């Protein structure tokens, strides 16, 4: 290393030419280098969600998790498969290799899961998607001297107007409580008809259905429909 330094000291022209090449290369590289304030970062995950109303975690693990894991295990590009069994449904995650073709892996996972014929009959249609990290542009807070319901309606209007802008792909509302329907039952009426609170709760639960309605493809992407 010392000989190289001594040689450049004795050959100033070569040292200056090397410096010019380094500076010119840096300038040329800077003009063509991609610069992003919000770079695209993909976690490299494909998820499979399967809802099974009324099922216990043990039933979900045996009836859904194991079968989905075995179906997608071995797909080219999948590094590891993990799952979470909970009440009423399961979440299976497929971790991809960094150099994997994500669209190809997603298609292969969809094909294998759709080919499953051993899932529980009362389980809902699997929802398969690639996990993406949207770019957060800004947070907008809505406040005022009004009730919670009024503020929520105003916020929904603001969201709809922002979502109509072509530069924005998605606008979500955070911090607002979901609407709730409360049912009050008279104890006298229960006694009169010989009913119990659990009977009424079961009747409401049977009538409260959450059904998938398929998917609708639009220019902005695929929209999942539920009723």
């Amino acid at each position: 290393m010392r000989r190289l330094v001594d040689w450049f000291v004795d050959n100033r022209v070569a040292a200056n030419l090397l410096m010019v090449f380094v500076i010119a290369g840096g300038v040329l590289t800077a003009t063509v280098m991609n610069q992003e304030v919000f770079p695209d970062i993909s976690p490299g995950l494909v998820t499979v969600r399967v809802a099974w109303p009324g099922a216990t975690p043990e039933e979900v693990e045996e009836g859904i998790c194991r079968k989905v894991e075995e179906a997608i295990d071995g797909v080219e590009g999948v590094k590891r498969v993990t799952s979470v069994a909970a009440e009423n449904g399961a979440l299976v995650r497929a971790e991809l290799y960094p150099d994997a073709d994500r669209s190809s892996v997603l298609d292969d996972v969809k094909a294998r899961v759709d080919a499953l014929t051993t899932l529980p009959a009362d389980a809902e249609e699997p929802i398969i998607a690639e996990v993406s990290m949207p770019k957060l542009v800004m947070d907008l807070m809505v406040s005022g001297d009004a009730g919670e319901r009024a503020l929520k309606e105003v916020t929904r209007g603001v969201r709809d107007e922002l979502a109509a802008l072509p530069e924005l792909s998605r606008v979500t509302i955070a911090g607002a409580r979901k609407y709730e329907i409360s049912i009050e039952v008279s104890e006298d009426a229960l006694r009169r008809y010989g009913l119990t609170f659990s009977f009424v709760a079961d009747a409401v639960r049977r009538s409260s259905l959450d059904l998938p309605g398929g998917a609708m493809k639009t220019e902005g992407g695929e929209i999942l429909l539920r009723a």
Side-chain angles (χ1 to χ4, degrees):
M1 184 66 183
R2 182 177 179 82
R3 293 182 180 179
L4 182 61
V5 173
D6 293 340
W7 186 86
F8 274 111
V9 171
D10 297 334
N11 297 270
R12 297 180 180 179
V13 176
N16 291 333
L17 286 176
L18 179 61
M19 181 183 65
V20 170
F21 288 143
V22 170
I23 295 175
V27 172
L28 293 176
T29 304
T31 57
V32 298
M33 183 179 297
N34 292 329
Q35 300 181 18
E36 298 183 19
V37 178
F38 302 102
D40 289 326
I41 301 175
S42 176
L45 287 175
V46 173
T47 60
V48 181
R49 298 178 183 270
V50 184
W52 189 5
T56 63
E58 291 77 12
E59 293 173 335
V60 171
E61 181 180 4
E62 187 65 29
I64 295 178
C65 292
R66 293 184 184 275
K67 296 175 182 179
V68 174
E69 287 180 2
E70 293 173 358
I72 65 178
D73 189 23
V75 172
E76 185 176 358
V78 173
K79 180 180 180 180
R80 183 175 56 179
V81 180
T82 58
S83 62
V84 177
E87 291 185 0
N88 304 318
L91 172 63
V92 181
R93 292 188 291 257
E95 182 181 349
L96 311 185
Y97 286 103
D99 57 346
D101 187 346
R102 292 181 174 85
S103 60
S104 177
V105 173
L106 181 61
D107 293 340
D108 292 343
V109 172
K110 282 185 176 181
R112 295 203 180 189
V113 174
D114 291 340
L116 283 175
T117 59
T118 57
L119 294 180
D122 50 349
E124 297 183 6
E125 196 74 18
I127 300 175
I128 307 161
E130 179 186 356
V131 178
S132 60
M133 299 180 64
K135 300 177 182 178
L136 178 62
V137 178
M138 64 179 295
D139 289 326
L140 180 64
M141 179 176 293
V142 179
S143 63
D145 187 13
E148 181 181 0
R149 184 183 181 90
L151 288 175
K152 187 183 296 185
E153 294 299 327
V154 173
T155 304
R156 289 168 65 95
V158 173
R159 180 201 60 185
D160 295 341
E161 293 184 13
L162 292 176
L165 298 176
E167 297 84 2
L168 301 179
S169 61
R170 186 172 65 175
V171 182
T172 58
I173 298 177
R177 294 188 297 178
K178 296 183 179 180
Y179 288 107
E180 180 182 83
I181 298 176
S182 61
I183 301 175
E184 297 182 3
V185 184
S186 170
E187 293 187 20
D188 294 336
L190 291 177
R191 294 192 186 98
R192 187 182 314 119
Y193 295 104
L195 303 176
T196 62
F197 279 108
S198 60
F199 180 87
V200 176
D202 291 338
V204 173
R205 189 178 296 109
R206 289 193 301 268
S207 301
S208 301
L209 302 179
D210 186 8
L211 302 176
M216 180 174 61
K217 292 184 177 180
T218 65
E219 294 181 355
E222 188 176 67
I223 300 175
L224 299 178
L225 305 178
R226 302 185 70 84

